[in-house]
Amino acid sequence: MRNVPLAAVDDLDRAVLAIGTDYPPEHLLVWHEHRRAQVLYAATGVMRVETADGNWTIPTARAVLIPSMTRHQVTMTGVSTRSLYIEPAAVPWFPARCQAVDVSALLRALILEAVEMEPRYAEHSRDAAVAALILHELRTLTPLPLDLPLPSDPRLRALCEAFLQRPDIHDPPARWCAALNISERTLARLFRRGTGLSFSQWRQRACVLHSLQHLTAGMPVTRIAALLGYDNPAAYTAAFGRLLGRPPTAYRNP
C-alpha cells in the first residue's frame, strides 16, 4: 500500500500491515499515536522522531521502533518512509520506548516487498509467509545509539531544545548556568538526573546526531565540522566514531 492512511486499514485482521508514504520537504507529522506498534523505516532522507522523553535521529536505510500508543511527532527531511504496523500481541518483545535500529539487507527487501502486498493477504499464502518472516527478522535487529534523551525539567529542556536548533560543540556550561541562575555543579546534577549523561556527553551526542542530516544531504565533512564548532575535521570524525562506531562516510546516502 502506498500513501494510504493507517486508519483506513487498521482494523484488518492481519498481524502486519505495510504502508509506503512520500512526504514533502521539511514536513512535520504532528503529535499522534498508533494502536499498533510501528517500524518506521527511512527509505530516503532523515527523520527526527520526538517523544516526551527524547528524540531519535534516523538516517536513510535505518529505522526506529515505536511502541504501541507512544505519543510522538516526526520531522521529515527529504523523506520517503516504509512503515510496518504490527499488532502488539505479535511482538511481545517490542521495546517499551523508541529504539533506533540498523536494518539488514534481508529485512530491507522484505519491507519493500510488503509495501507491494495486498493489505488483506490470504492466510498460508506467499504474502503471509513474507509477513511471518518479517516478524522473525525484527527480533534480530541491531540497536543503534541514535537517541538523545531530554530532561523533564521545563527550563532545562527549553535550553536543550534551543541548543538543538544551533548546536555548538564548544557551547560553555557557564552560559547555561547563567540562563538558569544555578552553579555548574547543579547543572551537572540536573543533566545526569534528567538524561543519564553528563553535560559534555549530551552536548557531544547532540552535535553528532545533528550532523546526520548534513551527511545525508552530501555536505562535506570539513564544512560539517566547522558548522558545529569543531577545531578540525579530525576532531569531528573522532567524536562521530566514538558514538556510532563507524566513520561519517558510512552514514551518507547508500
Side-chain angles (χ1 to χ4, degrees):
M1 296 178 286
R2 293 180 180 272
N3 299 309
V4 174
L6 175 61
V9 293
D10 189 29
D11 61 348
L12 290 181
D13 182 23
R14 296 296 182 270
V16 179
L17 299 174
I19 300 176
T21 309
D22 302 316
Y23 293 96
E26 304 304 322
H27 180 73
L28 175 63
L29 197 59
V30 297
W31 293 97
H32 64 289
E33 58 192 35
H34 311 293
R35 182 188 65 81
R36 291 173 178 253
Q38 182 181 12
V39 179
L40 180 58
Y41 171 72
T44 64
V46 176
M47 305 179 293
R48 182 172 176 237
V49 178
E50 300 174 68
T51 72
D53 61 347
N55 64 57
W56 289 256
T57 302
I58 311 299
T60 303
R62 280 80 177 181
V64 59
L65 308 182
I66 304 175
S68 169
M69 304 309 294
T70 296
R71 187 168 170 77
H72 62 284
Q73 71 173 3
V74 188
T75 304
M76 312 280 191
T77 303
V79 169
S80 178
T81 68
R82 303 293 181 264
S83 283
L84 303 174
Y85 296 98
I86 307 173
E87 285 289 350
V91 284
W93 53 265
F94 220 73
R97 69 190 295 266
C98 292
Q99 172 69 66
V101 293
D102 207 355
V103 176
S104 68
L106 174 57
L107 181 57
R108 184 177 303 117
L110 290 169
I111 291 172
L112 297 179
E113 181 65 22
V115 168
E116 304 303 324
M117 293 173 4
E118 288 296 321
R120 197 184 294 275
Y121 47 85
E123 294 185 19
H124 311 298
S125 65
R126 175 184 178 276
D127 289 350
V130 168
L133 186 52
I134 283 173
L135 293 176
H136 281 290
E137 284 300 300
L138 288 176
R139 298 200 68 157
T140 66
L141 292 174
T142 302
L144 295 173
L146 300 176
D147 61 303
L148 184 71
L150 292 172
S152 58
D153 179 278
R155 296 178 63 213
L156 181 58
R157 185 179 181 118
L159 285 178
C160 288
E161 291 177 343
F163 178 87
L164 294 178
Q165 299 304 310
R166 298 186 64 181
D168 178 355
I169 193 59
H170 293 304
D171 190 17
R175 183 185 72 82
W176 295 60
C177 292
L180 297 172
N181 194 28
I182 59 175
S183 68
E184 289 200 19
R185 178 174 293 183
T186 300
L187 178 69
R189 186 167 61 250
L190 287 175
F191 254 99
R192 183 66 70 179
R193 185 173 63 205
T195 69
L197 302 171
S198 69
F199 173 81
S200 61
Q201 288 172 330
W202 187 92
R203 182 181 59 188
Q204 184 84 268
R205 195 180 188 98
C207 286
V208 168
L209 295 181
H210 180 84
S211 74
L212 290 170
Q213 61 184 303
H214 300 308
L215 287 168
T216 300
M219 184 182 292
V221 166
T222 301
R223 187 176 171 194
I224 294 173
L227 187 66
L228 295 173
Y230 285 91
D231 295 333
N232 51 63
Y236 161 68
T237 299
F240 193 101
R242 283 194 298 272
L243 178 63
L244 299 181
R246 304 177 71 185
T249 52
Y251 279 80
R252 291 197 184 281
N253 269 337

